[in-house]
Amino acid sequence: MPQEAATDPYADPLRFGQRVQILRERRGMTQAQLADFVGVSPHTLRKIENGQQKTPGLDMVMRIAEALRVRDLGDLTGRPDTRVDLFIGPGHPRLAAVKAAVDSFPPMNSVEPPPVAHLEARLHAAWRKRHASKNHREAIGRLLPDLIRDAQALTRHADTATERRRAQALLAEVYSLSQFFIAFQPDSHLLWRVAERGMVAAQESGDPHAIGVASWLLAQAHRDSGPRHFEAADAVNREAVAYLRPLLPDATEDVLAIAGALEFELGYTAARRRETGTAWLHWDKANDMARRLPTDYYHPVTSFGTAIMGAHAVTVAVELHQGGEYVRQAARADRSVIKSRPRRARHRIEEARGYRLDNQLDTAVAVLEKAAEAAPETIRYNGYARAILLEEVESTQAARRRRAAEVASRIGLLAA
């Protein structure tokens, strides 16, 4: 048997425990780290991997899948007939058109660039649509191909250094908007192309806000690639924070907000590592920056502002598995209004994760119902939400099973 076949999660007759070990090692995690993530002792996890303990129940399987960021549940179970994509959505109908626009490099004079003010107004309207629409991917997906084409044309036709820097800032912003569409879609290579091009365009522009936004998104791309990439995420974040720090005394609201968003991302990554003190320290720093902003302000890209800090606290508490802390933070967050529909839905998903960890499964499903009301596309393409719903549609509790199935059907997760 070839060496690579022996480590293929689909190669029979691998036991469940062997698959866990292989996927854990590919993530660069120790047994102790994975055991901590899923809430069992290292001794218990060792017995699971060695086959000395029977395959755990569905709840534990889903926790392991979440901790290992398994893209397809079949990779973990070894049953291709039960393929379930967990952290990548099924692919939006407009993905092909967006991808074609990103990959296209038309000849120099084939596209006439729009006036700068016109492109700025269209971008502003696109961000408004993203925050206000229930189906925000559909809303921006129909706009992105033309925005990408026109922003690229604007950079090619810039006559002066000043015009070129302004055009590059707009191009970076278009790529930022694109990343919100491409995230959780089945094309990770496209996401990386857009993230890296956005960073290059932002650096070419020399615009602090553009650089901050591109760094925020690039750091997220690194972090979401798994624990082995956490250091790369932190490196991008720290460099951006250090770059922006001298500018903050006289910064605009948008620059101050992206600096605060970057500060929180350092805390989020620390929480993913279970570094409790560091995570809350960065949350505190981000909260201090949020307090310097008007109470009704929210950042057009990240939604950062005073209203979002409660939601961020829920996320930190959930990642740290801090018992009832996420419930307390959830109650606090609900007193603030998050203007962005997709961000509001994302917050609900984080709440549902917390209630699931606290074994309040009926409440978790009820919260996901609220997420679906706010932004169905957010919950449909979010791996955590999908995992919870797919688990609860198999619940032995009839009422919970029925409610989960209704939500899953409404967002198209159980569509034929």
Side-chain angles (χ1 to χ4, degrees):
M1 177 183 293
Q3 182 63 34
E4 60 268 24
T7 58
D8 181 359
Y10 279 114
D12 290 327
L14 287 180
R15 299 185 309 271
F16 172 80
Q18 289 175 300
R19 295 176 189 281
V20 172
Q21 180 181 356
I22 290 167
L23 293 168
R24 172 178 61 76
E25 290 175 349
R26 287 182 182 177
R27 281 289 179 193
M29 298 177 71
T30 66
Q31 282 184 332
Q33 287 172 328
L34 179 57
D36 183 45
F37 268 97
V38 301
V40 301
S41 69
H43 176 70
T44 297
L45 181 64
R46 193 176 305 114
K47 288 175 67 176
I48 291 173
E49 291 190 354
N50 292 341
Q52 297 173 321
Q53 184 164 309
K54 67 178 183 179
T55 300
L58 181 59
D59 178 63
M60 180 56 66
V61 171
M62 298 302 277
R63 288 189 199 178
I64 293 172
E66 178 179 322
L68 295 175
R69 303 288 290 177
V70 172
R71 297 294 185 182
D72 190 313
L73 198 59
D75 290 348
L76 189 58
T77 64
R79 295 174 57 187
D81 58 317
T82 57
R83 291 184 64 87
V84 177
D85 289 328
L86 295 179
F87 290 90
I88 293 185
H92 194 279
R94 295 190 181 275
L95 178 61
V98 173
K99 181 178 186 300
V102 171
D103 291 343
S104 175
F105 288 95
M108 183 72 178
N109 298 318
S110 63
V111 178
E112 185 69 23
V116 170
H118 185 254
L119 183 59
E120 286 177 336
R122 286 162 56 199
L123 252 178
H124 185 63
W127 283 115
R128 286 203 313 270
K129 282 182 179 292
R130 181 191 176 265
H131 290 298
S133 301
K134 283 189 171 184
N135 294 310
H136 50 95
R137 277 188 172 84
E138 174 63 24
I140 64 174
R142 68 173 67 241
L143 302 175
L144 278 171
D146 287 342
L147 285 170
I148 293 168
R149 179 200 64 194
D150 289 348
Q152 289 175 341
L154 201 62
T155 61
R156 290 195 300 269
H157 287 80
D159 291 326
T160 67
T162 300
E163 288 177 356
R164 180 171 177 78
R165 285 194 296 271
R166 191 176 182 188
Q168 290 285 7
L170 287 171
L171 179 60
E173 188 174 349
V174 170
Y175 282 138
S176 297
L177 183 65
S178 301
Q179 283 180 252
F180 282 95
F181 176 88
I182 297 166
F184 299 113
Q185 298 293 302
D187 195 337
S188 57
H189 295 295
L190 179 63
L191 178 65
W192 277 107
R193 281 202 299 283
V194 170
E196 289 169 353
R197 288 185 194 175
M199 190 74 248
V200 171
Q203 290 174 333
E204 289 288 325
S205 76
D207 180 85
H209 181 253
I211 291 171
V213 170
S215 300
W216 183 78
L217 287 162
L218 184 58
Q220 290 191 7
H222 279 297
R223 187 185 59 231
D224 289 345
S225 297
R228 286 182 295 178
H229 300 268
F230 286 179
E231 286 299 327
D234 278 346
V236 172
N237 250 323
R238 290 193 188 101
E239 287 177 5
V241 168
Y243 165 71
L244 292 174
R245 188 175 294 120
L247 309 177
L248 295 184
D250 302 310
T252 64
E253 290 175 354
D254 285 352
V255 171
L256 180 61
I258 192 58
L262 285 160
E263 194 71 58
F264 169 72
E265 289 301 313
L266 286 168
Y268 185 19
T269 306
R272 291 281 295 273
R273 290 194 185 97
R274 302 294 174 81
E275 297 172 352
T276 302
T278 303
W280 286 116
L281 174 64
H282 286 294
W283 184 91
D284 285 336
K285 290 182 178 180
N287 193 44
D288 288 341
M289 291 185 186
R291 287 174 176 169
R292 292 171 57 183
L293 296 165
T295 55
D296 62 345
Y297 172 90
Y298 79 101
H299 188 257
V301 178
T302 68
S303 294
F304 186 84
T306 55
I308 207 69
M309 292 312 300
H312 282 337
V314 172
T315 297
V316 170
V318 169
E319 292 293 347
L320 292 172
H321 289 199
Q322 285 193 316
E325 178 65 15
Y326 38 74
V327 177
R328 186 177 73 83
Q329 294 293 352
R332 173 191 174 193
D334 280 346
R335 291 197 293 269
S336 298
V337 177
I338 300 174
K339 296 180 180 180
S340 169
R341 277 185 174 271
R343 189 59 187 84
R344 195 155 67 239
R346 167 69 190 282
H347 168 53
R348 294 299 186 191
I349 292 168
E350 293 296 287
E351 284 185 314
R353 291 180 64 203
Y355 285 118
R356 178 192 181 203
L357 289 169
D358 207 37
N359 206 33
Q360 299 184 45
L361 300 177
D362 288 315
T363 307
V365 173
V367 169
L368 287 180
E369 221 172 13
K370 293 181 181 179
E373 291 169 4
E377 281 192 346
T378 295
I379 185 172
R380 182 182 182 187
Y381 291 98
N382 183 280
Y384 296 120
R386 289 160 61 86
I388 294 171
L389 287 174
L390 289 169
E391 178 182 334
E392 295 312 317
V393 296
E394 301 292 335
S395 171
T396 57
Q397 302 295 317
R400 187 193 311 152
R401 182 173 65 246
R402 184 166 54 251
R403 194 171 192 179
E406 288 173 357
V407 177
S409 297
R410 193 186 316 155
I411 64 173
L413 190 56
L414 296 184

